[in-house]
Amino acid sequence: METLVGTWKGTLIRSNGDTLDLKLNYKVISNRSTIVETVFEDDTEMVTLYHDEGEKLVMTHYCALMNQPMLNESRLTANSIHFEQSPSCTLSKDRDAYVNTYSLTVDPDNPSVLKTRYTVVFPDQPMWINDGLVEKVNEL
């Protein structure tokens, strides 16, 4: 994930048809033990922290839905990483609205293009699927 360090900008398309500006920023902190992802969906700011737990990567997402879902690495390939809800996460789709999956995929033909996908579950409405497409911004 350290290859993601920097700023990425593009668009987020929600399954309900909404299109938002998407900006992601990645930085490494704590003697390379944690990666901070700062997310801007239009004017809404959120933060996700990634760190190793044993042999797997785990994430905690500090969400605009006013909760903190925890997700564990579920699949890792050369170009992507996928996360699913951690068994230790106390949020439940029967009573809470929260992010329950997240994935990051770098375009193998163009590593300055990143695709994101996350799902949000709700107790009383269909799941949202949100797809982001961002490009790395050259910073001076």
Side-chain angles (χ1 to χ4, degrees):
M1 285 205 50
E2 285 187 32
T3 61
L4 299 177
V5 168
T7 301
W8 303 73
K9 291 184 180 180
T11 303
L12 179 75
I13 300 173
R14 291 186 173 158
S15 54
N16 67 3
D18 290 346
T19 300
L20 306 171
D21 288 333
L22 178 61
K23 178 181 172 188
L24 305 172
N25 182 274
Y26 294 92
K27 78 177 188 177
V28 179
I29 63 168
S30 301
N31 199 26
R32 297 182 64 219
S33 68
T34 304
I35 295 175
V36 178
E37 173 192 65
T38 305
V39 179
F40 291 90
E41 293 179 359
D42 278 345
D43 293 330
T44 301
E45 182 178 9
M46 297 171 278
V47 171
T48 304
L49 301 177
Y50 299 87
H51 71 277
D52 288 326
E53 193 167 282
E55 300 277 320
K56 299 277 185 174
L57 196 60
V58 298
M59 62 179 275
T60 302
H61 176 63
Y62 296 83
C63 190
L65 293 169
M66 300 185 341
N67 54 38
Q68 299 79 42
M70 296 176 290
L71 292 86
N72 293 344
E73 174 190 323
S74 60
R75 187 166 37 105
L76 180 65
T77 71
N79 300 311
S80 67
I81 186 165
H82 303 268
F83 296 88
E84 293 181 356
Q85 182 176 348
S86 168
S88 62
C89 181
T90 59
L91 297 169
S92 167
K93 61 183 170 185
D94 295 330
R95 69 171 187 274
D96 302 303
Y98 64 97
V99 173
N100 74 325
T101 69
Y102 189 61
S103 66
L104 299 160
T105 304
V106 174
D107 185 329
D109 298 321
N110 185 356
S112 66
V113 173
L114 177 66
K115 295 177 184 177
T116 66
R117 172 174 272 202
Y118 69 93
T119 57
V120 180
V121 292
F122 298 90
D124 57 354
Q125 66 185 38
M127 176 185 350
W128 287 359
I129 301 171
N130 301 299
D131 289 307
L133 182 63
V134 292
E135 289 190 59
K136 194 156 194 180
V137 175
N138 291 328
E139 298 175 301
L140 300 175

